[in-house]
Amino acid sequence: ICLILHGAMLVENIWSGETDLVRSIRSVVGNDVLISARFDLHGNMTEEFANKTDLWTVYRTAPHRDQIETLERALKLLSKCLSENLKPKPVFIHLPLLLPGEKATTDVEPMKSLLKLAKEIEQQDGILTAEILVGFGWADSYHAGSSVTVIAKDIKYFNKAKQGAKILAQAMW
């Protein structure tokens, strides 16, 4: 399954619309079906979403110019996992940062260097992708904020993904 989401959908009495959606999907398809997602850079991811989804990709441009490329990355990663029988293992770290979107333009610092670091981390053996969510600082939600994720190909590379996520989170902080 590949979901095309924004990442900052708030629903009255539910909070994260994306989390509620993936919770519902997972309850129907079980844990053996891979779920991939594509996110806007300004998404607010919950830990539950990260635990119920296998992999995701995030826009790497603000202003957004890479919507199609980001969806293609999500689909290619999903296809790779299916064809190679991979069991992706995401490492998700939520950071206590609320950033307004206009302070996270990707062509200038600090986002320019953070995205370069993410690309370096995802080039490591056993890593599928490294993603940064700036978050949507204007959302009135307990889970609003920035996060980083490094997704390992499988459990064998999980510690490497943890190390990469920690490096990326520290750099963002």
Side-chain angles (χ1 to χ4, degrees), residues 134-146:
V134 173
F136 185 63
W138 304 119
D140 186 14
S141 165
Y142 71 93
H143 65 274
S146 302

Side-chain angles (χ1 to χ4, degrees), residues 3 7 21 23 42-43 72 76 82 93 106 108 140 147 152 161 165-166 171:
L3 304 171
L21 175 65
R23 183 186 306 125
H42 301 102
E72 287 174 351
K76 285 179 183 176
L82 291 170
I93 299 175
T106 55
V108 297
D140 186 14
S147 63
K166 184 177 179 181

